[in-house]
Amino acid sequence: MKKIFALFFMLCPLFSMAQNIIPQPSSIVTNKGEFDLKEATQIGYNDKSLAWLAKYLESQIYLTCKVKIKHPNGVHPSFYLRLKKYANREPKGSYKLSANAGGVLIESDNKEGLFYGVQSLLQLINIHTKTISEVEINDAPRYQWRGFMLDESRHFFGKEKVKQLIDLMARYKLNKFHWHLTDSHGWRLQIKKYPKLTTIGGIGNFTDSAATAQYYTQADIREMVDYAKRRFIDVIPEIDMPGHATAANKAYPQFSGGSVAGYPNFTFDPSKEETYKYLSTIIKETNSLFPAKMIHLGGDEVFLGIQAWLNKPDITAVMTKNNFKSPTDLEHYFFRRMGDTVIKLGSKILCWDEAVETNLPADKTIVFWWRQNKPQSLKLALSKNYQVVLCPRLPMYFDFVQDSTHTSGRKWDSTTVAGYHLQGTYNTVQDVYNFPDKYLDGQDLTSKNIIGVQANLWTETVGTEKRLDYLLLPRMAALAEATWSAESNKNEGTFNDKLKAEIEWYKKTGLYYYNPFNPAEHPEVVDFAPKKQIKD
Ligand code: ACM
């Protein structure tokens, strides 16, 4: 018996004790000692381009536990950031972190990795004892695309809230912010050549068509892109077309493709050369603001307004001239032309999965698979060799409710679909956590063309920051593990334990959240009495 105990204690340092890092690192081994932050001296680094990261770490340590670095000019730094060349190039975002009684060393061959090491370090701080446990971490992301989308057309939140969301993304090692800036209920991006897009198209939102115009100026956009860049987050604008164009068409009706009942001026007019010129100018200005060199062109749900095209002689004439059999052929023609514009600017075309039918160039296109009820669309995208980001409504739409008792937000009908193994009507934190492994067919899951995972937050039912936080938290923590942590490293029990600690952090930080362990803690935030259940 004694021998067994001795063996257990010998092996003990090899077992990983739970540390509250979200997302779960690839490997973490904890030892007995600890570093006392109250003894912390300066933060050192071996490359002057890391000065900003050292300053960031210093300010974040203070925010986390109110400890000020004691001897900022000390010659023996307690924290060291080392940019290092390895024999083989490591995946972007990977890092090593070692903490012991003497301090903390973070190493990586890329700056992203050092930044993520810093995020892990901040989560390792025990805020009560102001210590960090002795630990060895080796970590690398599962996916290179770890995304979050915010719709600011339906409701607008503004710079300070979006900066807060970007900080949350950074905490969770998310790296792509997809900004849905244009849609039927408001155009939110200043375009200098076409000022009415924002002064007129920016008026109104989903619940108040007369709300004062709200939008981002180009200076605002630059500020936000820079803020995100310092957190290793790419910002990707979405200029939705040819559908979801009502707000733009309110500003410049000469480019409208007409109306059908319920969907006034929903599309752009695909028959006019002027429309292509107008949209190309918009794309050019947009492209110059977003250094990530990716433009999301939308391409979703065009069917809602496309029948209007058949009532416009100019449009039907173009169809006849080109021998198009249906408005859908014309839709594809339109989308290819706009895709060409993006490519000519040296950027990638991003699009919702409807555009898989369009035959865009596979090496320059990233498809966002959102229709979980159409797994064949994912299969088609993969078979055509497109890179794909997975963001199916179930479970990746955070505007869906997360508890059976919630009344505001979307639900799905639970029709069974062959080829996708998540049924149900709403999106729990566990559903998000278990994505994608439990739900996709094996051969889809192992495709090298799946570059990542993203959650989308549409804001038809979201008018306040409090409701935004309630829908986001804690599902964003589960998104972190779905995007970063390998399936073999995930464990729902461990995650739930970490989530309880994370919820304490939300509370301390003043964020509103849903508590799946104690749903009564925070009542559901209902911004608008639900008019009708939005199913699709
Ligand atoms: C979408 O939800 N219409 C992409």
Side-chain angles (χ1 to χ4, degrees), residues 139-164:
D139 201 5
R142 175 178 185 179
Y143 289 116
Q144 285 299 329
W145 189 289
R146 302 181 299 278
F148 172 67
M149 188 214 82
L150 179 68
D151 163 19
E152 285 208 85
S153 172
R154 272 41 174 261
H155 287 102
F156 185 85
F157 297 92
K159 285 193 291 186
E160 287 321 301
K161 185 62 189 171
V162 174
K163 281 184 184 170
Q164 194 190 41

Side-chain angles (χ1 to χ4, degrees), residues 300-301 352 370 397 458:
D300 57 321
E301 299 181 314
W352 300 109
W370 67 283
Y397 273 26
W458 303 98

Side-chain angles (χ1 to χ4, degrees), residues 46 50 80-86 89-97 105-117 139:
N46 71 336
L50 300 175
Y80 200 78
L81 307 170
R82 183 184 289 155
L83 202 51
K84 192 178 166 180
K85 286 254 177 299
Y86 295 110
R89 231 183 127 58
E90 300 286 301
K92 235 182 177 193
S94 64
Y95 68 93
K96 291 185 174 56
L97 183 156
L105 168 67
I106 302 173
E107 292 184 321
S108 175
D109 76 348
N110 57 90
K111 287 184 203 160
E112 286 92 325
L114 293 177
F115 183 75
Y116 296 140
D139 201 5

Side-chain angles (χ1 to χ4, degrees), residues 487-500:
E487 168 72 347
S488 56
N489 242 336
K490 283 162 73 178
N491 175 302
E492 220 170 306
T494 310
F495 177 67
N496 283 339
D497 288 343
K498 291 189 298 182
L499 200 53
K500 284 174 194 154

Side-chain angles (χ1 to χ4, degrees), residues 201-212:
I203 294 173
N205 58 40
F206 191 78
T207 42
D208 175 6
S209 60
T212 311

